[in-house]
Amino acid sequence: MSWHATILTLFPAMFPGPLGASLAGRALEDGLWRLDTHDLRAHGLGRHRTVDDTPFGGGAGMVMRPDVVAGALAAVRAPDDARPLIYLTPRGKLLTQADAARWSVGPGLVLLCGRYEGLDQRVIEASGAEEISVGDYVLSGGEPAALVLLDACLRLLPGVMGGAESATEESFADGLLEYPHYTRPAEWQGRAVPPVLLSGDHAAIRAWRRAEAEDATRQRRPDLWAAHLAARMAGRRPPVDSAASVATASAGP
Ligand code: ADE
């Protein structure tokens, strides 16, 4: 049985979206993973298939009703479904590379996408959904966040990318940003490639890349740098579940 993603959304047309192209799209065609989308509207109430209502306590926007969402969940999740249920929300815990790695070795995911002001909190609690955010900014809904989360998991599935990329990922599992990359021409618009990269001295190249990775991390991501230093002092790798591990993914198309 292939890795199985189920999406609950008011906008099923957003899927597979970008995941229908490139590596994920090929893998979908090849049956390495499976996607089904369910329209939350189908579980709406009355003639108008209402899914939301005004918030108790007042305020702007609309809130998705717990009974509607619970009905949809019951329809798509069999009692023995072992897949984690994730609700995409800016209130959630930040997504990390460690999350993607953990989920990618499981049976798949059920992703719940909210619109409006979000979901009634009671159905989040009652369903045992894990609340996940893809970053400290507000999207118009959970759908683009679900695409990001899925992409991060899918590229880790066996056979989706080449073995070389997975190996690269392993070797950078130390919480640093990647070093910069260069290819031909060796000089372009008056800019030369760092000479060490043309030296053929592999130890020197390794040292240069390491220094560049450390400089970039120190300057751009003091949070990751602090975690990296703490891990180094303790003679261990950074905490697997820290944001640091997000920065370790070096491979990409
Ligand atoms: N929905 C709206 N914004 C989001 C975010 N940053 N992460 C996850 N889901 C969201």
Side-chain angles (χ1 to χ4, degrees), residues 87-91 114 132-143 145-146:
Y87 169 49
L88 284 313
T89 165
R91 269 172 48 88
I132 295 292
S133 166
V134 297
D136 291 335
Y137 39 79
V138 181
L139 303 167
S140 55
E143 290 81 4

Side-chain angles (χ1 to χ4, degrees), residues 133-220:
S133 166
V134 297
D136 291 335
Y137 39 79
V138 181
L139 303 167
S140 55
E143 290 81 4
L147 291 168
V148 165
L149 187 154
L150 275 179
D151 184 273
C153 294
L154 294 172
R155 62 186 287 285
L156 300 178
L157 295 182
V160 171
M161 295 187 82
E165 286 87 351
S166 349
T168 316
E169 190 146 86
E170 282 298 292
S171 67
F172 288 94
D174 56 1
L176 293 177
L177 298 179
E178 259 272 60
Y179 53 80
H181 301 274
Y182 299 87
T183 187
R184 277 179 279 280
E187 189 175 320
W188 176 73
Q189 294 191 350
R191 295 165 187 264
V193 163
V196 65
L197 298 179
L198 309 177
S199 69
D201 180 342
H202 295 296
I205 291 171
R206 223 173 7 254
W208 180 85
R209 285 180 166 165
R210 178 74 188 191
E212 288 288 322
E214 293 188 356
D215 281 354
T217 309
R218 197 181 310 114
Q219 286 166 24
R220 300 173 179 189

